Amino acid sequence: DVKVTQSSRYLVKRTGEKVFLECVQDMDHENMFWYRQDPGLGLRLIYFSYDVKMKEKGDIPEGYSVSREKKERFSLILESASTNQTSMYLCASSLIGAGTNTGELFFGEGSRLTVL
Amino acid sequence: GENVEQHPSTLSVQEGDSAVIKCTYSDSASNYFPWYKQELGKGPQLIIDIRSNVGEKKDQRIAVTLNKTAKHFSLHITETQPEDSAVYFCAATYGYALNFGKGTSLLVTP
């Protein structure tokens, strides 16, 4: 089975702190994604990566950055956390790496971040 | 990304009844339309998908229909069971990524 592992299920941080959310997938998938989930807003794409060291902005990249140094690992970085970044963060990966068809996304269980 | 609209936002049905969730999309280039189920405390999981060259697909109690001309697709769950209670998301491709609807919270009461 494909496994997408998010290192932290729950985090509490203070405003202004730098926050790292780590995600690892074990199926050699080319695509990796970070989504943010908020009640009533569904899943919104923050960033995605279709190859090592490649990244593309999604719909809501402001306040976030990402890093993909290895194929299996995709990190989401909040340079200076703010209270409006309190949310559930979901990492996902998919096999297909080219074209317009992303194929099935496999999600991790989520990281719930609270910024005080 | 392009919008994906999903309705209703909440749906309550009695066990054994059918449930229908509808989505519309705006990007005419979208060619893959998956449905995800999210149970409490878990990440979304794919339950069924349909590609643009197919009008309908069925897998046991769940089915999806696609009308590309009208840019809408629907999820149909028949003979609902309490374990079908969850949040359901539709999605449509947008380049490399998926745009998701806002979700439907389905409650199946015994």
Side-chain angles (χ1 to χ4, degrees):
Chain A
D1 279 352
V2 173
K3 196 164 175 69
V4 178
T5 303
Q6 295 183 231
S7 56
S8 304
R9 291 296 305 274
Y10 301 95
L11 302 94
V12 179
K13 299 292 182 181
R14 297 227 175 256
T15 301
E17 279 192 78
K18 190 168 185 176
V19 181
F20 292 87
L21 299 179
E22 305 285 346
C23 176
V24 176
Q25 50 95 3
D26 65 359
M27 284 300 291
D28 204 34
H29 284 177
E30 298 198 24
N31 289 352
M32 295 189 75
F33 307 82
W34 276 105
Y35 284 88
R36 171 177 171 162
Q37 182 175 16
D38 299 288
L41 297 178
L43 281 69
R44 293 179 291 166
L45 182 64
I46 305 172
Y47 267 97
F48 67 97
S49 168
Y50 53 89
D51 201 352
V52 175
K53 297 192 186 293
M54 305 301 290
K55 59 185 179 184
E56 292 285 341
K57 293 180 181 179
D59 297 323
I60 52 165
E62 297 78 19
Y64 304 94
S65 62
V66 290
S67 172
R68 191 157 181 214
E69 295 296 318
K70 293 185 177 181
K71 192 174 186 179
E72 67 270 17
R73 187 179 297 269
F74 193 35
S75 303
L76 181 69
I77 304 156
L78 289 68
E79 293 288 342
S80 178
S82 63
T83 55
N84 62 12
Q85 292 178 310
T86 291
S87 187
M88 170 69 83
Y89 291 89
L90 289 165
C91 175
S93 71
S94 70
L95 176 61
I96 297 173
T100 60
N101 190 332
T102 63
E104 179 177 357
L105 259 63
F106 293 86
F107 283 88
E109 294 201 318
S111 298
R112 183 165 294 281
L113 171 66
T114 301
V115 183
L116 302 174
Chain B
E2 299 289 326
N3 282 342
V4 176
E5 300 286 335
Q6 182 173 347
H7 299 279
S9 56
T10 60
L11 180 59
S12 183
V13 299
Q14 283 206 305
E15 183 176 0
D17 288 349
S18 295
V20 180
I21 303 170
K22 298 184 178 183
C23 289
T24 60
Y25 63 97
S26 57
D27 185 3
S28 56
S30 296
N31 60 2
Y32 173 67
F33 307 91
W35 286 87
Y36 285 80
K37 176 184 181 182
Q38 186 177 28
E39 297 176 339
L40 204 60
K42 296 187 176 181
Q45 191 165 12
L46 180 73
I47 55 170
I48 194 166
D49 56 15
I50 191 166
R51 300 187 187 275
S52 58
N53 58 347
V54 175
E56 185 174 354
K57 185 177 177 181
K58 190 174 181 181
D59 183 4
Q60 298 182 357
R61 294 187 299 109
I62 59 174
V64 58
T65 59
L66 170 65
N67 183 329
K68 277 221 83 176
T69 304
K71 293 184 186 171
H72 64 73
F73 56 114
S74 301
L75 177 71
H76 304 253
I77 306 174
T78 58
E79 301 171 27
T80 53
Q81 300 168 3
E83 52 265 38
D84 294 330
S85 296
V87 178
Y88 292 81
F89 293 96
C90 64
T93 47
Y94 181 67
Y96 280 100
L98 287 174
N99 276 340
F100 285 85
K102 293 183 178 180
T104 296
S105 180
L106 173 64
L107 177 64
V108 180
T109 54

Short mmCIF file of all heavy atoms in Angstrom, two decimals, chain A residues 44-89:
data_model
loop_
_atom_site.label_atom_id
_atom_site.label_comp_id
_atom_site.label_asym_id
_atom_site.label_seq_id
_atom_site.Cartn_x
_atom_site.Cartn_y
_atom_site.Cartn_z
N ARG A 44 -7.69 23.54 -0.40
CA ARG A 44 -7.10 24.54 -1.29
C ARG A 44 -5.62 24.24 -1.47
O ARG A 44 -4.91 24.00 -0.50
CB ARG A 44 -7.31 25.95 -0.72
CG ARG A 44 -8.77 26.39 -0.69
CD ARG A 44 -8.92 27.78 -0.10
NE ARG A 44 -8.61 27.79 1.32
CZ ARG A 44 -8.39 28.89 2.02
NH1 ARG A 44 -8.45 30.08 1.44
NH2 ARG A 44 -8.13 28.81 3.32
N LEU A 45 -5.17 24.32 -2.71
CA LEU A 45 -3.80 23.94 -3.05
C LEU A 45 -2.83 25.07 -2.71
O LEU A 45 -3.00 26.21 -3.16
CB LEU A 45 -3.70 23.60 -4.53
CG LEU A 45 -2.35 23.14 -5.04
CD1 LEU A 45 -1.93 21.83 -4.39
CD2 LEU A 45 -2.38 22.98 -6.56
N ILE A 46 -1.80 24.75 -1.95
CA ILE A 46 -0.80 25.74 -1.56
C ILE A 46 0.38 25.70 -2.55
O ILE A 46 0.72 26.71 -3.17
CB ILE A 46 -0.28 25.47 -0.13
CG1 ILE A 46 -1.43 25.40 0.87
CG2 ILE A 46 0.71 26.56 0.29
CD1 ILE A 46 -1.01 24.94 2.27
N TYR A 47 1.00 24.55 -2.67
CA TYR A 47 2.12 24.34 -3.58
C TYR A 47 2.09 22.90 -4.06
O TYR A 47 1.56 22.02 -3.40
CB TYR A 47 3.46 24.56 -2.86
CG TYR A 47 4.05 25.94 -2.94
CD1 TYR A 47 3.86 26.86 -1.90
CD2 TYR A 47 4.81 26.33 -4.04
CE1 TYR A 47 4.41 28.13 -1.97
CE2 TYR A 47 5.37 27.60 -4.10
CZ TYR A 47 5.16 28.50 -3.07
OH TYR A 47 5.71 29.75 -3.13
N PHE A 48 2.69 22.67 -5.21
CA PHE A 48 2.94 21.30 -5.62
C PHE A 48 4.30 21.20 -6.31
O PHE A 48 4.91 22.20 -6.68
CB PHE A 48 1.80 20.76 -6.50
CG PHE A 48 1.67 21.42 -7.84
CD1 PHE A 48 2.22 20.85 -8.97
CD2 PHE A 48 0.95 22.60 -7.98
CE1 PHE A 48 2.07 21.43 -10.21
CE2 PHE A 48 0.79 23.20 -9.22
CZ PHE A 48 1.35 22.62 -10.33
N SER A 49 4.74 19.96 -6.44
CA SER A 49 6.04 19.69 -7.05
C SER A 49 5.91 18.49 -7.96
O SER A 49 5.37 17.46 -7.55
CB SER A 49 7.08 19.41 -5.95
OG SER A 49 8.26 18.88 -6.51
N TYR A 50 6.39 18.59 -9.19
CA TYR A 50 6.29 17.48 -10.13
C TYR A 50 7.65 16.81 -10.35
O TYR A 50 7.77 15.90 -11.16
CB TYR A 50 5.68 17.92 -11.46
CG TYR A 50 6.36 19.12 -12.08
CD1 TYR A 50 7.43 18.95 -12.95
CD2 TYR A 50 5.91 20.41 -11.81
CE1 TYR A 50 8.06 20.05 -13.52
CE2 TYR A 50 6.53 21.51 -12.38
CZ TYR A 50 7.60 21.32 -13.22
OH TYR A 50 8.23 22.41 -13.78
N ASP A 51 8.68 17.28 -9.62
CA ASP A 51 9.99 16.65 -9.73
C ASP A 51 10.87 17.20 -8.63
O ASP A 51 10.56 18.27 -8.04
CB ASP A 51 10.60 16.94 -11.10
CG ASP A 51 11.69 15.94 -11.49
OD1 ASP A 51 12.07 15.10 -10.64
OD2 ASP A 51 12.15 16.00 -12.64
N VAL A 52 11.96 16.53 -8.38
CA VAL A 52 12.90 17.01 -7.37
C VAL A 52 13.35 18.43 -7.73
O VAL A 52 13.62 18.73 -8.89
CB VAL A 52 14.11 16.07 -7.27
CG1 VAL A 52 15.15 16.62 -6.32
CG2 VAL A 52 13.67 14.69 -6.84
N LYS A 53 13.38 19.28 -6.73
CA LYS A 53 13.80 20.67 -6.83
C LYS A 53 12.86 21.53 -7.67
O LYS A 53 13.14 22.71 -7.90
CB LYS A 53 15.23 20.78 -7.37
CG LYS A 53 16.28 20.16 -6.46
CD LYS A 53 17.68 20.54 -6.87
CE LYS A 53 18.71 19.77 -6.04
NZ LYS A 53 18.68 20.19 -4.63
N MET A 54 11.75 20.96 -8.15
CA MET A 54 10.77 21.74 -8.90
C MET A 54 9.58 22.03 -8.02
O MET A 54 9.16 21.20 -7.20
CB MET A 54 10.31 20.97 -10.14
CG MET A 54 11.42 20.52 -11.06
SD MET A 54 12.43 21.89 -11.67
CE MET A 54 11.28 22.67 -12.78
N LYS A 55 9.04 23.23 -8.15
CA LYS A 55 7.87 23.59 -7.37
C LYS A 55 7.02 24.57 -8.18
O LYS A 55 7.54 25.33 -8.99
CB LYS A 55 8.28 24.22 -6.04
CG LYS A 55 9.11 25.48 -6.18
CD LYS A 55 9.58 25.98 -4.82
CE LYS A 55 10.43 27.23 -4.98
NZ LYS A 55 10.98 27.69 -3.68
N GLU A 56 5.73 24.50 -7.92
CA GLU A 56 4.80 25.40 -8.58
C GLU A 56 3.82 25.94 -7.53
O GLU A 56 3.38 25.19 -6.66
CB GLU A 56 4.00 24.66 -9.66
CG GLU A 56 4.81 24.22 -10.86
CD GLU A 56 5.15 25.38 -11.79
OE1 GLU A 56 4.49 26.42 -11.70
OE2 GLU A 56 6.09 25.22 -12.59
N LYS A 57 3.48 27.20 -7.64
CA LYS A 57 2.50 27.78 -6.73
C LYS A 57 1.10 27.26 -7.05
O LYS A 57 0.75 27.07 -8.21
CB LYS A 57 2.52 29.30 -6.85
CG LYS A 57 3.79 29.94 -6.36
CD LYS A 57 3.74 31.45 -6.50
CE LYS A 57 5.04 32.09 -6.02
NZ LYS A 57 5.01 33.56 -6.17
N GLY A 58 0.34 27.06 -5.98
CA GLY A 58 -1.06 26.72 -6.13
C GLY A 58 -1.91 27.97 -6.01
O GLY A 58 -1.50 29.06 -6.40
N ASP A 59 -3.06 27.82 -5.39
CA ASP A 59 -4.00 28.93 -5.30
C ASP A 59 -3.70 29.89 -4.15
O ASP A 59 -4.03 31.06 -4.22
CB ASP A 59 -5.43 28.39 -5.14
CG ASP A 59 -5.88 27.60 -6.35
OD1 ASP A 59 -5.50 28.01 -7.47
OD2 ASP A 59 -6.57 26.59 -6.17
N ILE A 60 -3.08 29.38 -3.08
CA ILE A 60 -2.87 30.21 -1.90
C ILE A 60 -1.43 30.07 -1.38
O ILE A 60 -1.20 29.67 -0.25
CB ILE A 60 -3.87 29.87 -0.77
CG1 ILE A 60 -3.88 28.36 -0.47
CG2 ILE A 60 -5.28 30.34 -1.14
CD1 ILE A 60 -4.57 28.02 0.84
N PRO A 61 -0.41 30.47 -2.17
CA PRO A 61 0.97 30.27 -1.74
C PRO A 61 1.51 31.33 -0.77
O PRO A 61 2.57 31.14 -0.17
CB PRO A 61 1.73 30.36 -3.08
CG PRO A 61 0.90 31.32 -3.87
CD PRO A 61 -0.54 31.03 -3.50
N GLU A 62 0.77 32.43 -0.60
CA GLU A 62 1.31 33.54 0.20
C GLU A 62 1.54 33.09 1.64
O GLU A 62 0.66 32.52 2.28
CB GLU A 62 0.33 34.73 0.17
CG GLU A 62 0.11 35.34 -1.20
CD GLU A 62 -0.83 34.53 -2.08
OE1 GLU A 62 -1.59 33.70 -1.53
OE2 GLU A 62 -0.80 34.71 -3.31
N GLY A 63 2.73 33.39 2.14
CA GLY A 63 3.08 33.04 3.51
C GLY A 63 3.69 31.66 3.66
O GLY A 63 4.05 31.26 4.77
N TYR A 64 3.81 30.95 2.54
CA TYR A 64 4.36 29.59 2.56
C TYR A 64 5.50 29.46 1.57
O TYR A 64 5.56 30.18 0.59
CB TYR A 64 3.28 28.56 2.18
CG TYR A 64 2.04 28.58 3.02
CD1 TYR A 64 0.92 29.32 2.62
CD2 TYR A 64 1.97 27.87 4.21
CE1 TYR A 64 -0.23 29.34 3.39
CE2 TYR A 64 0.82 27.88 4.97
CZ TYR A 64 -0.28 28.62 4.56
OH TYR A 64 -1.42 28.64 5.34
N SER A 65 6.38 28.51 1.84
CA SER A 65 7.36 28.08 0.85
C SER A 65 7.49 26.56 0.99
O SER A 65 6.95 25.96 1.92
CB SER A 65 8.71 28.76 1.06
OG SER A 65 9.25 28.42 2.32
N VAL A 66 8.15 25.94 0.01
CA VAL A 66 8.30 24.49 0.03
C VAL A 66 9.71 24.11 -0.35
O VAL A 66 10.47 24.91 -0.92
CB VAL A 66 7.30 23.79 -0.93
CG1 VAL A 66 5.87 23.90 -0.42
CG2 VAL A 66 7.43 24.33 -2.34
N SER A 67 10.04 22.86 -0.05
CA SER A 67 11.35 22.33 -0.40
C SER A 67 11.19 20.88 -0.80
O SER A 67 10.52 20.10 -0.11
CB SER A 67 12.30 22.42 0.81
OG SER A 67 13.51 21.75 0.55
N ARG A 68 11.82 20.53 -1.94
CA ARG A 68 11.83 19.13 -2.35
C ARG A 68 13.24 18.78 -2.82
O ARG A 68 13.55 18.85 -4.00
CB ARG A 68 10.81 18.86 -3.46
CG ARG A 68 10.63 17.35 -3.68
CD ARG A 68 9.34 17.03 -4.30
NE ARG A 68 9.17 15.59 -4.49
CZ ARG A 68 8.51 15.08 -5.51
NH1 ARG A 68 7.96 15.87 -6.43
NH2 ARG A 68 8.38 13.77 -5.61
N GLU A 69 14.06 18.38 -1.88
CA GLU A 69 15.45 18.03 -2.16
C GLU A 69 15.59 16.57 -2.57
O GLU A 69 16.53 16.20 -3.28
CB GLU A 69 16.31 18.32 -0.94
CG GLU A 69 16.39 19.79 -0.58
CD GLU A 69 17.07 20.62 -1.68
OE1 GLU A 69 18.08 20.16 -2.23
OE2 GLU A 69 16.56 21.71 -2.00
N LYS A 70 14.67 15.74 -2.10
CA LYS A 70 14.66 14.33 -2.46
C LYS A 70 13.27 13.97 -2.96
O LYS A 70 12.28 14.57 -2.56
CB LYS A 70 15.03 13.46 -1.26
CG LYS A 70 16.45 13.63 -0.81
CD LYS A 70 16.79 12.65 0.31
CE LYS A 70 18.24 12.79 0.72
NZ LYS A 70 18.61 11.82 1.79
N LYS A 71 13.20 12.96 -3.81
CA LYS A 71 11.94 12.61 -4.46
C LYS A 71 10.87 12.25 -3.45
O LYS A 71 9.69 12.55 -3.63
CB LYS A 71 12.17 11.45 -5.42
CG LYS A 71 11.02 11.18 -6.36
CD LYS A 71 11.40 10.11 -7.36
CE LYS A 71 10.31 9.93 -8.40
NZ LYS A 71 10.67 8.90 -9.40
N GLU A 72 11.24 11.60 -2.36
CA GLU A 72 10.25 11.08 -1.43
C GLU A 72 9.80 12.09 -0.39
O GLU A 72 8.85 11.84 0.34
CB GLU A 72 10.81 9.84 -0.70
CG GLU A 72 11.97 10.11 0.25
CD GLU A 72 13.33 10.02 -0.44
OE1 GLU A 72 13.38 10.07 -1.69
OE2 GLU A 72 14.33 9.88 0.30
N ARG A 73 10.43 13.25 -0.33
CA ARG A 73 10.17 14.19 0.77
C ARG A 73 9.78 15.56 0.25
O ARG A 73 10.46 16.12 -0.61
CB ARG A 73 11.42 14.30 1.64
CG ARG A 73 11.23 15.11 2.91
CD ARG A 73 12.54 15.13 3.71
NE ARG A 73 12.92 13.78 4.14
CZ ARG A 73 12.56 13.24 5.28
NH1 ARG A 73 11.80 13.93 6.14
NH2 ARG A 73 12.96 12.03 5.61
N PHE A 74 8.70 16.10 0.81
CA PHE A 74 8.21 17.41 0.40
C PHE A 74 7.86 18.18 1.66
O PHE A 74 7.00 17.74 2.44
CB PHE A 74 6.97 17.23 -0.49
CG PHE A 74 6.53 18.46 -1.23
CD1 PHE A 74 7.43 19.40 -1.71
CD2 PHE A 74 5.18 18.69 -1.49
CE1 PHE A 74 7.01 20.51 -2.42
CE2 PHE A 74 4.75 19.79 -2.20
CZ PHE A 74 5.66 20.70 -2.66
N SER A 75 8.53 19.27 1.89
CA SER A 75 8.36 20.03 3.13
C SER A 75 7.62 21.33 2.87
O SER A 75 7.87 22.00 1.88
CB SER A 75 9.72 20.34 3.74
OG SER A 75 10.44 19.15 3.98
N LEU A 76 6.74 21.67 3.77
CA LEU A 76 6.04 22.95 3.75
C LEU A 76 6.61 23.82 4.86
O LEU A 76 6.74 23.36 6.00
CB LEU A 76 4.53 22.75 3.95
CG LEU A 76 3.66 24.01 3.93
CD1 LEU A 76 3.63 24.61 2.52
CD2 LEU A 76 2.25 23.70 4.41
N ILE A 77 6.95 25.06 4.52
CA ILE A 77 7.60 25.95 5.47
C ILE A 77 6.77 27.21 5.65
O ILE A 77 6.37 27.84 4.65
CB ILE A 77 9.02 26.32 4.98
CG1 ILE A 77 9.83 25.04 4.74
CG2 ILE A 77 9.72 27.23 5.98
CD1 ILE A 77 10.96 25.21 3.76
N LEU A 78 6.51 27.54 6.90
CA LEU A 78 5.89 28.82 7.23
C LEU A 78 6.99 29.67 7.82
O LEU A 78 7.47 29.42 8.93
CB LEU A 78 4.76 28.64 8.24
CG LEU A 78 3.46 27.98 7.76
CD1 LEU A 78 3.65 26.50 7.41
CD2 LEU A 78 2.36 28.14 8.81
N GLU A 79 7.46 30.66 7.08
CA GLU A 79 8.62 31.44 7.50
C GLU A 79 8.35 32.20 8.80
O GLU A 79 9.20 32.31 9.66
CB GLU A 79 9.03 32.42 6.41
CG GLU A 79 9.56 31.77 5.15
CD GLU A 79 10.94 31.15 5.34
OE1 GLU A 79 11.63 31.51 6.31
OE2 GLU A 79 11.33 30.29 4.52
N SER A 80 7.15 32.72 8.94
CA SER A 80 6.77 33.47 10.13
C SER A 80 5.28 33.22 10.36
O SER A 80 4.43 33.87 9.76
CB SER A 80 7.05 34.95 9.93
OG SER A 80 6.64 35.70 11.07
N ALA A 81 4.99 32.25 11.20
CA ALA A 81 3.61 31.80 11.35
C ALA A 81 2.70 32.92 11.85
O ALA A 81 3.09 33.74 12.69
CB ALA A 81 3.56 30.62 12.32
N SER A 82 1.49 32.92 11.32
CA SER A 82 0.48 33.89 11.77
C SER A 82 -0.79 33.14 12.16
O SER A 82 -1.00 31.99 11.75
CB SER A 82 0.18 34.91 10.66
OG SER A 82 -0.37 34.25 9.54
N THR A 83 -1.63 33.80 12.94
CA THR A 83 -2.83 33.12 13.44
C THR A 83 -3.75 32.66 12.31
O THR A 83 -4.45 31.65 12.45
CB THR A 83 -3.61 34.02 14.40
OG1 THR A 83 -3.90 35.26 13.75
CG2 THR A 83 -2.80 34.31 15.67
N ASN A 84 -3.75 33.37 11.18
CA ASN A 84 -4.63 32.96 10.08
C ASN A 84 -4.09 31.74 9.32
O ASN A 84 -4.71 31.28 8.35
CB ASN A 84 -4.93 34.11 9.12
CG ASN A 84 -3.69 34.65 8.45
OD1 ASN A 84 -2.63 34.04 8.52
ND2 ASN A 84 -3.82 35.79 7.80
N GLN A 85 -2.96 31.22 9.77
CA GLN A 85 -2.45 29.98 9.20
C GLN A 85 -2.81 28.76 10.07
O GLN A 85 -2.37 27.64 9.79
CB GLN A 85 -0.94 30.07 9.00
CG GLN A 85 -0.57 31.06 7.90
CD GLN A 85 0.92 31.21 7.71
OE1 GLN A 85 1.67 31.42 8.67
NE2 GLN A 85 1.37 31.12 6.47
N THR A 86 -3.58 29.00 11.11
CA THR A 86 -4.14 27.90 11.89
C THR A 86 -5.07 27.10 10.99
O THR A 86 -6.02 27.65 10.43
CB THR A 86 -4.91 28.44 13.11
OG1 THR A 86 -3.99 29.01 14.02
CG2 THR A 86 -5.69 27.31 13.80
N SER A 87 -4.77 25.81 10.81
CA SER A 87 -5.51 25.02 9.83
C SER A 87 -5.07 23.56 9.89
O SER A 87 -4.15 23.20 10.61
CB SER A 87 -5.26 25.58 8.42
OG SER A 87 -6.08 24.95 7.46
N MET A 88 -5.76 22.75 9.07
CA MET A 88 -5.33 21.38 8.83
C MET A 88 -4.56 21.38 7.51
O MET A 88 -5.05 21.88 6.50
CB MET A 88 -6.55 20.45 8.71
CG MET A 88 -6.21 19.06 8.23
SD MET A 88 -5.27 18.12 9.44
CE MET A 88 -6.61 17.53 10.47
N TYR A 89 -3.37 20.80 7.53
CA TYR A 89 -2.54 20.74 6.33
C TYR A 89 -2.44 19.29 5.87
O TYR A 89 -2.08 18.40 6.65
CB TYR A 89 -1.16 21.32 6.61
CG TYR A 89 -1.21 22.81 6.84
CD1 TYR A 89 -1.42 23.35 8.11
CD2 TYR A 89 -1.10 23.70 5.77
CE1 TYR A 89 -1.51 24.71 8.30
CE2 TYR A 89 -1.18 25.06 5.96
CZ TYR A 89 -1.39 25.57 7.24
OH TYR A 89 -1.49 26.92 7.41
#
